[in-house]
Amino acid sequence: QNILISAMLQSQQCWLPKLHEPVKLEALVAALRLGEKVFLPGEKLHPYHHQEDAHLFLMGSYYEGFPNVLIEAGVLGIPVVAFDAPGGIAEIIEDGLNGFLVKSSKEEAFMSAILRAREHKFNREKIIAATKIRYGVDKIIPATENLIIRLLAEKAGQQLK
C-alpha cells in the first residue's frame, strides 16, 4: 500500500478502477488531499474507459496467478511496472519493451522502476503488436485445443491399460 501511496503522490493523475479495500483508500486519498489527482471510479460496465490514456500500469503484488490484467494492459499499449512475483509476471514483461520487472521486493526498487519507466520511451504500438503475437486469439485458441486433445489422448491411453 505504501508503494501505491508514493506513486499517487508523484503522479499527475492516478486511476484506480477496481480495489480490494475501496473505503480505506478513499479515506487515505481524502486525508492526503489527493482528490484532484486520484480517481476511484470503482467497477464499470466498460472497464477500459480512461485506461487507454494511462502512462503506466503498476502492479504491486508480491504473488499472482496468471495476471490477465497485464495482458489487458499490453493490448492497450500500456507499459507495466511489476514485482518479479511468482505466478507468470516474468513471462509477460520484457524489460524495456513493455515495462520493467522489479527483481527486489523492496518498495524503493519499485519506486525507482516507476521513475525509470516514466523517462523511458516505450513504443505503445510495439507493446500492442507483441502482446497480440504472444497472447492473441490466433495463438491461444490452437494451443488450448492442442492441450485438450493431448490430455484426452493421454487419459484414453491410461484407460486402455
Side-chain angles (χ1 to χ4, degrees):
Q1 191 175 19
N2 290 338
I3 297 168
L4 189 55
I5 294 166
S6 296
M8 289 187 302
L9 288 169
Q10 294 184 29
S11 69
Q12 292 174 357
Q13 279 192 343
C14 186
W15 288 81
L16 304 169
K18 187 176 178 184
L19 306 165
H20 294 289
E21 298 180 13
V23 174
K24 285 183 181 179
L25 198 52
E26 287 168 358
L28 180 63
V29 168
L32 294 172
R33 297 183 181 162
L34 292 172
E36 297 293 317
K37 293 170 67 169
V38 178
F39 302 93
L40 307 168
E43 291 194 43
K44 297 193 146 282
L45 182 59
H46 302 289
Y48 301 116
H49 184 65
H50 292 296
Q51 264 190 314
E52 63 274 1
D53 296 329
H55 295 287
L56 289 174
F57 184 90
L58 308 179
M59 186 159 197
S61 300
Y62 293 109
Y63 178 81
E64 276 296 322
F66 186 81
N68 288 323
V69 69
L70 298 185
I71 305 300
E72 294 166 356
V75 169
L76 295 172
I78 303 168
V80 173
V81 173
F83 284 113
D84 187 7
I89 293 173
E91 295 173 27
I92 297 169
I93 297 177
E94 297 178 56
D95 269 2
L97 173 67
N98 65 346
F100 289 114
L101 194 60
V102 181
K103 301 289 185 186
S104 168
S105 62
K106 298 203 182 301
E107 294 176 6
E108 297 82 17
F110 194 84
M111 283 307 301
S112 176
I114 292 170
L115 295 174
R116 199 169 70 228
R118 288 175 61 180
E119 299 298 321
H120 190 76
K121 303 286 188 231
F122 288 103
N123 183 324
R124 291 178 76 120
E125 294 304 318
K126 279 188 179 179
I127 294 172
I128 293 168
T131 302
K132 287 181 178 179
I133 288 168
R134 292 177 72 198
Y135 301 102
V137 173
D138 293 341
K139 173 126 182 178
I140 297 301
I141 297 296
T144 303
E145 288 174 345
N146 290 335
L147 174 63
I148 291 169
I149 290 167
R150 184 174 55 85
L151 292 172
L152 288 173
E154 287 175 12
K155 183 167 177 103
Q158 290 174 355
Q159 289 178 347
L160 294 175
K161 292 181 181 179

